[in-house]
Amino acid sequence: VFLCADNGSNNKGSNGPLRGFKGSPWEGGHRVPGIANWPGRIEAGTTNVTLCASMDVMPTLLALAGAPAPKERPLDGVDLSPVLLEGKTLADRKMFWDVGGRAMRDGPWKVVVSGKQPQLFNLADDLGETTDLAERESQRAGQMSDALNAWYAAVTADATPQPEE
């Protein structure tokens, strides 16, 4: 059994120390716990802080079932079974999103572009995203912004057109 939410609380609820709400690029908009239960396979009561997303559920289920991933439509997620079954962590990976502004995670670092200038945060030291480090860490902020822009260009180049709202 997998259980997770797809977003943080709306502005009527609380996301604790996290900045932002549903529909925002801030941690309060998307950071949610996930729960996996498989008696006899996943050790009860264990926790893991591995960065993952709902896009990882399909590759995980396919791997656990011994089914191949589709070759004609590569999946964006990764197999979480080593995390769930062996308590391992995943290799570092960059994660991107575009909800209420664009953002990218790279290890503890997060760049958010929701205005004119990118903002940079070190979530290991500042989970509430209160201290913008973009000026002090301008090279990192620039590199991450460039990677975020490249990702956005790649995913929108051949994206399925969405209906007008």
Side-chain angles (χ1 to χ4, degrees), residues 15-155:
N15 290 315
L18 304 179
R19 180 177 179 179
F21 297 97
K22 176 181 176 176
S24 77
W26 308 107
E27 291 299 290
H30 59 267
R31 183 184 279 251
V32 296
I35 299 170
N37 181 37
W38 190 3
R41 295 294 306 269
I42 298 174
E43 187 177 342
T46 58
T47 60
N48 192 304
V49 296
T50 297
L51 177 64
C52 56
S54 58
M55 67 183 172
D56 299 326
V57 173
M58 180 57 77
T60 303
L61 292 175
L62 289 171
L64 292 173
K71 290 186 182 358
E72 66 281 358
R73 298 288 286 177
L75 300 172
D76 291 328
V78 298
D79 173 17
L80 297 175
S81 60
V83 174
L84 299 171
L85 303 178
E86 302 167 39
K88 294 183 177 179
T89 57
L90 297 176
D92 285 341
R93 63 179 170 159
K94 294 174 176 70
M95 295 191 68
F96 305 87
W97 58 99
D98 180 22
V99 177
R102 294 184 196 133
M104 173 192 166
R105 281 280 308 270
D106 186 3
W109 294 96
K110 180 178 175 185
V111 69
V112 177
V113 180
S114 64
K116 293 182 181 181
Q117 297 296 319
Q119 297 176 67
L120 181 70
F121 305 93
N122 184 328
L123 298 178
D125 300 329
D126 180 21
L127 190 58
E129 298 167 296
T130 61
T131 305
D132 181 3
L133 302 173
E135 190 172 312
R136 190 176 91 200
E137 297 273 349
S138 60
Q139 184 175 1
R140 181 185 306 275
Q143 290 171 340
M144 290 180 71
S145 294
D146 290 347
L148 180 57
N149 290 334
W151 165 81
Y152 186 76
V155 297

